[in-house]
Amino acid sequence: MDLETVMERAGPREFGPGDDLPEKYRKAATRMIQFHANSEVMGGYLDKTFTRKAPSLDRKLANTAKVQDEIGHAQLLYRAAETLGVKTRAEMLDELATGDGKFLNCFHYPVDSWYEAPMIDFFVDGGAMRRQATLKSTSWTPYAHAMDKVCFEEGFHVKHGESILRELMNGSKATQERMQETFDVWWPRILQFFGPTNDESVHDDFAQAVGLKTATNDELRTSFLNMYIPKAEKYGLEIPEYPRLYERDDGTMAVREDDLDWEEFWTISRNEYEGSKEQIGSRRRRQDAVEWVRESLETWESSAGPTPQTAD
Amino acid sequence: MIWEVFRQEEPGDSHEHVGNVHAPDREMATLFARIQHARRMQTNSLWVTPRDEIGEVTAEEAAFGGRTDKSYRWAMTYNDIDASFAEEVADSESKQREAARKRREALREEETDA
Ligand SMILES: [Fe+2]
Ligand SMILES: [Fe+2]
């Protein structure tokens, strides 16, 4: 299939492993799904910090369940990416360890307090879920199938995250103040989650033209703000004055770009932020620690019985 | 040789198991599958696979999800939180509620059988 045909046919769940697709499509889809899968891993690793911080057994259990879900999402997504034939799962996991693999900006900031839990579990997961719901109609079918299962599970994450926020904002005055301080720190990062305004985004046009992406960052940011600002305010959080938000003529919401720290954002996107190194490093050390498990699985697989080896 | 047959109705759907056919090789299996399972039914694609290649685990051997109380991992548990503000959260919750209901029903049946 040539690119022109791909663009012509582009639509929800239009292409799958049986189609002969141009390299440009397969590479773009791989980049996108690998980024998504990496983010599930790094989000899961970040989130596991909260299990220790959680104030009750129920919260600890819910948190471990969430971490388990996220790692499961990563597994689904690496499989969906692998079906494009560009990279293997092992290659993608190695790239994440060497610092070549990219992932969401919010997961480059190490966390160390329970107050940060609703930042990740409610706002970031909420934003991610907005995006993931639109990816149910991506053109790469295995990706869409992964989104069906991911979206099924995510409702629990977002509601649990909101429940933590609610609990903390019903706490003492001091607790509420700490929550507000944490929110002030995280709010600009959460706004950057949707990237810079459309015209600056490098890969968007192609991804949209071939149906990989079905919503623009602008649309996602707008709907996110319309849904989540009222939630924050409902619990008594104040939206910081800066970065300033405004409505464009077409009704979409935007952020004054100058009010955000784009240098930090681009440093993060190159994995060169201090937190990036810390997060990537701690995950790599954990991956190394269980090398023996992978090795014994491989030894077992290559010595296994009569079934021929069919990885795919 | 027995081949299990999986049918995909519309492009983009998952392949679902619809039955099996007797056939000496893969080619004949696809042919028989077409005749038996796609002649009248709306079909976009068929998969056939030797039955021996399928691994199975049943509820008799394994405790599948939902035996111990894991209510903390269901969206419905957080019922002081209103999911309706975001379509995708509400959608996830209603699917989880449905899955939990089915699970409860199955457990109840098991208990009355025992
Ligand atoms: Fe996830
Ligand atoms: Fe999540």
Side-chain angles (χ1 to χ4, degrees), chain A residues 132-184:
Chain A
Q132 291 175 142
T134 70
L135 290 171
K136 279 183 172 188
S137 42
T138 179
S139 59
W140 185 245
T141 306
Y143 193 15
H145 286 171
M147 285 307 101
D148 286 341
K149 180 161 190 287
V150 166
C151 289
F152 169 82
E153 294 180 352
E154 280 292 333
F156 144 56
H157 303 181
V158 177
K159 284 190 78 187
H160 181 242
E162 184 177 339
S163 167
I164 300 168
L165 177 64
R166 181 179 190 264
E167 189 173 77
L168 289 169
M169 289 306 284
N170 282 329
S172 69
K173 186 108 201 313
T175 299
Q176 291 174 31
E177 280 169 11
R178 284 256 341 245
M179 194 64 242
Q180 180 68 49
E181 282 165 26
T182 310
F183 184 65
D184 290 347

Side-chain angles (χ1 to χ4, degrees), chain A residues 36 40 66 69-70 73-74 125 132 150 154 157:
Chain A
H36 194 164
E40 299 283 354
K66 176 186 190 292
D69 284 353
E70 305 298 11
H73 298 167
D125 262 43
Q132 291 175 142
V150 166
E154 280 292 333
H157 303 181

